[in-house]
Amino acid sequence: DVKVTQSSRYLVKRTGEKVFLECVQDMDHENMFWYRQDPGLGLRLIYFSYDVKMKEKGDIPEGYSVSREKKERFSLILESASTNQTSMYLCASSPRGGYEKLFFGSGTQLSVL
Amino acid sequence: DQQVKQNSPSLSVQEGRISILNCDYTNSMFDYFLWYKKYPAEGPTFLISISSIKDKNEDGRFTVFLNKSAKHLSLHIVPSQPGDSAVYFCAASHTGNQFYFGTGTSLTVIP
């Protein structure tokens, strides 16, 4: 089974801190994604990557950056955390070629105080 | 602008009856659709998918119907079970790689 592992289930940070959310997948998937889930807004795409060292902006990239130095790892970075970035963050991966389902991690609930 | 919409935030159904969850989309280029189920504090798990060349796909108790002319899809769960209580998200794609998700419908199956 595909496993997508997010490093933390719960995280509490202070406003202005730099925050790293890590995601690792073990199925050699080319595509990786970061979403955030908020009540009433569903899942919104922050950034995605189709290959090592490449990245594409999703629908809500402001305030975030990403890093993909290795195929299996996709990191989401909050350069200066703000309270409106309190959310559930979900990492997902899928094989290249498309028209395949996304496999999600368990999520990281981030609270910014 | 939300390209995938789930207009019912919640739905309650008696155990054993049919649950029907609806999803509308605006982008006529979408050609691949999926349903995900999500329990609290867990990541979404894949349920069922359908491509635009079909109008129905069935997997056990779960059936997805696609009406392209109406830009509408629905998920039918028959019979509904208490373990089906979760939030259901529909998702759509026109590239097969980037997916747009709806806002979710919280299903409660009453024993």
Side-chain angles (χ1 to χ4, degrees):
Chain A
D1 270 357
V2 174
K3 193 155 187 186
V4 179
T5 303
Q6 294 183 231
S7 52
S8 305
R9 291 299 298 271
Y10 301 95
L11 214 50
V12 179
K13 295 292 181 182
R14 295 277 179 199
T15 302
E17 279 191 77
K18 191 168 186 175
V19 181
F20 293 86
L21 302 182
E22 305 287 346
C23 176
V24 177
Q25 50 94 5
D26 66 0
M27 280 302 289
D28 204 36
H29 285 170
E30 285 78 14
N31 303 337
M32 296 190 75
F33 306 83
W34 275 106
Y35 288 88
R36 63 178 280 178
Q37 183 200 353
D38 300 288
L41 296 175
L43 276 68
R44 293 180 293 166
L45 182 63
I46 306 171
Y47 267 97
F48 58 101
S49 169
Y50 292 152
D51 205 345
V52 176
K53 295 201 185 291
M54 73 82 58
K55 59 187 178 184
E56 295 282 346
K57 292 180 180 179
D59 298 319
I60 52 164
E62 297 79 17
Y64 303 94
S65 62
V66 289
S67 171
R68 190 149 181 218
E69 296 295 318
K70 293 184 177 182
K71 188 176 185 180
E72 67 270 18
R73 187 179 295 270
F74 193 36
S75 303
L76 180 70
I77 304 153
L78 286 66
E79 296 291 342
S80 177
S82 63
T83 55
N84 63 11
Q85 292 179 309
T86 291
S87 186
M88 167 69 84
Y89 289 87
L90 293 160
C91 175
S93 72
S94 69
R96 176 175 287 157
Y99 299 99
E100 297 282 346
K101 60 189 178 188
L102 294 176
F103 293 85
F104 281 89
S106 298
T108 296
Q109 180 62 53
L110 173 67
S111 297
V112 183
L113 306 177
Chain B
D1 199 19
Q2 196 83 22
Q3 297 190 60
V4 179
K5 298 177 184 179
Q6 294 176 256
N7 292 317
S8 298
S10 63
L11 175 68
S12 290
V13 171
Q14 287 290 136
E15 181 178 2
R17 306 294 287 266
I18 184 170
S19 295
I20 300 176
L21 294 92
N22 294 305
C23 179
D24 297 295
Y25 60 95
T26 57
N27 189 338
S28 57
M29 299 295 292
F30 286 148
D31 59 0
Y32 185 54
F33 305 88
L34 305 91
W35 283 94
Y36 279 83
K37 174 180 178 179
K38 186 181 185 299
Y39 293 117
E42 293 185 15
T45 54
F46 171 77
L47 261 182
I48 192 167
S49 63
I50 189 168
S51 82
S52 59
I53 62 173
K54 293 185 171 184
D55 54 19
K56 176 183 173 180
N57 189 26
E58 193 172 349
D59 184 1
R61 297 186 296 114
F62 302 92
T63 303
V64 56
F65 295 91
L66 176 62
N67 182 334
K68 289 187 290 294
S69 60
K71 295 192 183 71
H72 177 83
L73 66 155
S74 61
L75 174 69
H76 292 210
I77 306 172
V78 183
S80 301
Q81 299 173 354
D84 296 329
S85 297
V87 178
Y88 289 78
F89 292 98
C90 66
S93 175
H94 58 82
T95 63
N97 284 310
Q98 189 175 349
F99 292 87
Y100 297 87
F101 282 80
T103 52
T105 296
S106 178
L107 173 66
T108 301
V109 180
I110 304 162

